[in-house]
Amino acid sequence: MFNKTVSLATTVVSLFAGAAFANQTFHPANNEAGVITHSVPGSKTRAQVEAEQIAAATAVGNWRYVGGDIGWELVQHAYEFRNGKLVHVDQLEHNTPKPSLASIVEGRKQYAEQYSGG
């Protein structure tokens, strides 16, 4: 009898606790590290949001929206043979400066300090 009463009381408390969080955007999930998110309706349709995301990503030029199962595709360097030479035919910049040796050594030093474990 005692177990049934405790079980019933636990169920009732759980239901009320769940109802208390029902209107929030997110809430803790059973003492887990994550959260349960709920969709909050916006003023834009899904098509409008997707169109804005596509326009923003394609404006940079590094990604191309292919659609279907592929979705987004990274734009890689493109080359062609012209007059017997291999030349770039893409719109990406090709003037990335070579990193200095001092910056590489400093980066390795910072990495070793951060991840040495001691």
Side-chain angles (χ1 to χ4, degrees):
M1 178 70 176
F2 177 73
N3 288 341
K4 289 182 181 178
T5 306
V6 171
S7 178
L8 180 61
T10 304
T11 304
V12 170
V13 169
S14 298
L15 289 174
F16 283 120
F21 287 113
N23 64 347
Q24 294 183 355
T25 303
F26 64 92
H27 57 83
N30 301 330
N31 297 327
E32 295 177 0
V35 295
I36 298 173
T37 57
H38 300 282
S39 298
V40 178
S43 60
K44 299 178 183 176
T45 65
R46 182 177 298 208
Q48 290 171 327
V49 171
E50 286 179 358
E52 289 175 2
Q53 290 173 343
I54 290 169
T58 54
V60 175
N62 294 340
W63 292 89
R64 175 177 46 232
Y65 186 72
V66 181
D69 291 336
I70 297 172
W72 291 93
E73 180 179 72
L74 180 63
V75 177
Q76 302 287 334
H77 290 279
Y79 306 93
E80 282 184 6
F81 274 108
R82 292 185 183 170
N83 298 327
K85 295 182 180 181
L86 190 64
V87 294
H88 290 280
V89 293
D90 54 40
Q91 301 299 320
L92 304 174
E93 294 186 19
H94 300 98
N95 58 355
T96 305
K98 183 178 179 181
S100 68
L101 182 60
S103 69
I104 295 171
V105 171
E106 181 63 26
R108 286 188 178 191
K109 180 181 170 188
Q110 289 176 357
Y111 180 85
E113 289 173 359
Q114 185 173 1
Y115 296 107
S116 65

